[in-house]
Amino acid sequence: MRFREEFLNMGKDRLYYVQIVVITTLLVYATGLLALPRNVTNIAGTAGWMSIIVGGLVGLLIGLMTANIALQYPDMSFTQICESACGRTFGKVISFSFFIYTSFILAVGMLQFATTIAVPFLNEMRTEVIVIVSFLVLMYATSKGIGAIARFTFISFAVVFVSLVAIILLSNSIVDTGRLLPLMGRGAVPILDAGLETASFFGEVIILLAILKYFPRKNLMKRAISQGIILAMVIMTTIVAACIAIFGTTWVERFAFPMVELAKLVGMGEFFERVEILFLTLWFNTAILKLSLLYYVSVTCLNDLLDLKNYRRLILPYAVFAIGFTLLPDNMVESSTMLAYFREYSIFYVLAIVLVLTICTKVKQHRNGKRSDTANCAVK
């Protein structure tokens, strides 16, 4: 009953429990779904699936810390939280770094999206054209607000989740669990190394700080975020384990997108042909929704940095910046290098931000408590 009531009454700028769960899951898996099995298998071998659990545990810690921060500033945006916790000047600096962080994820994600869609569908079209057209979609979604993005995200996730379950179940007959041995793969150190890379995807849950003010049920915030992270962990662990058990590490490391190759196997039957095209189409929809969320967060963050009242005035100017940022790499080699550095080091940025905000909040509470005690003594 509660789920049905929330679904039927989803307001324009109000987020509900199921939406927070789905958005959290989307932030983690949307852009890493296709290539992640290859990335972690390259490092950890047959234990690549374990690295997802390691990264997920780090993400769970970040998610809980994010929720704790949001609970202290229930009706504030990211910039307002930073300024309240750390002071106006230092808060602006942190918020600007966050703006660059979200813009970088947007740019890299958009380039990956455009390249992926160009190869199987639009190989004669220039990447620049696909990027510009895609940004027009993001601009439209952002103009409609966070509520509209959340509603479409919920619907899209349901379809993608069902398709993933169907692909895994239909390929079950060719699973060979022996390919998952040795269980520890290349050892504990490679598992932790791959887990650190995976943690960069889970670390993106910090982006929730920019939209949690629209979630009125603050008492359920930690549970919603935790469930979203755990769901993403289960999805990604299952996908990586399935790819290894079906193809073996040698082929998973060679495939550009192992999940697409897995979908092709389902398409070998009489009634299931070219399922990989359907799967890619669903992934494109999911990816564009995550990019829309990133675009919205980036624009609203910039709006708060400039102390403007209406973020919609920045939708077009930001698009010019974002398109230029996206097309900055001269080729895919440069883009891949940038993405590799991001996966390796972004988790440290995220940990630094949540730690700084947590410490500054504790210091502020301690000072306010002392002032309150002093005032009470003066009254007495």
Side-chain angles (χ1 to χ4, degrees), residues 118 122-130 133:
L122 304 169
N123 53 8
E124 296 183 0
M125 183 176 289
R126 291 178 62 87
T127 303
E128 292 85 349
V129 176
I130 300 174
V133 172

Side-chain angles (χ1 to χ4, degrees), residues 95-244:
S95 186
F96 180 74
S97 71
F98 181 74
F99 167 74
I100 297 299
Y101 171 77
T102 56
S103 295
F104 185 87
I105 298 175
L106 174 63
V108 173
M110 176 58 76
L111 191 57
Q112 181 188 19
F113 172 81
T115 304
T116 306
I117 201 173
V119 172
F121 298 119
L122 304 169
N123 53 8
E124 296 183 0
M125 183 176 289
R126 291 178 62 87
T127 303
E128 292 85 349
V129 176
I130 300 174
V131 167
I132 292 172
V133 172
S134 299
F135 267 109
L136 291 175
V137 176
L138 305 192
M139 292 167 64
Y140 175 77
T142 300
S143 68
K144 293 300 180 181
I146 186 62
I149 296 173
R151 287 193 295 275
F152 281 109
T153 298
F154 174 76
I155 296 170
S156 173
F157 173 79
V159 178
V160 172
F161 182 76
V162 170
S163 70
L164 287 173
V165 171
I167 290 172
I168 297 298
L169 291 177
L170 290 170
S171 59
N172 185 59
S173 59
I174 53 176
V175 168
D176 181 1
T177 55
R179 295 192 179 103
L180 293 170
L181 300 175
L183 196 61
M184 291 297 293
R186 293 166 186 161
V189 174
I191 292 174
L192 294 175
D193 190 16
L196 189 64
E197 179 172 318
T198 306
S200 67
F201 292 101
F202 284 94
E204 292 180 29
V205 296
I206 193 177
I207 294 170
L208 292 171
L209 266 181
I211 62 172
L212 283 174
K213 69 175 185 177
Y214 298 112
F215 182 49
R217 306 181 70 178
K218 308 299 182 184
N219 59 314
L220 298 178
M221 192 181 295
K222 288 183 181 180
R223 187 195 300 176
I225 294 174
S226 298
Q227 287 181 348
I229 293 172
I230 292 171
L231 180 57
M233 194 190 311
V234 170
I235 292 173
M236 296 167 73
T237 301
T238 303
I239 288 172
V240 172
C243 287
I244 295 173

Side-chain angles (χ1 to χ4, degrees), residues 10 14-30 145-155 157-158 201-202 204-212 214-215 224-225 227-229 231-232 286 289-294 296-297:
M10 289 176 178
R14 185 177 179 181
L15 299 177
Y16 290 82
Y17 186 89
V18 291
Q19 291 177 331
I20 294 296
V21 173
V22 169
I23 288 174
T24 303
T25 306
L26 178 83
L27 282 171
V28 174
Y29 88 92
I146 186 62
I149 296 173
R151 287 193 295 275
F152 281 109
T153 298
F154 174 76
I155 296 170
F157 173 79
F201 292 101
F202 284 94
E204 292 180 29
V205 296
I206 193 177
I207 294 170
L208 292 171
L209 266 181
I211 62 172
L212 283 174
Y214 298 112
F215 182 49
I225 294 174
Q227 287 181 348
I229 293 172
L231 180 57
T286 302
L289 285 169
K290 176 178 177 177
L291 295 174
S292 297
L293 177 62
L294 287 166
Y296 173 86
V297 169

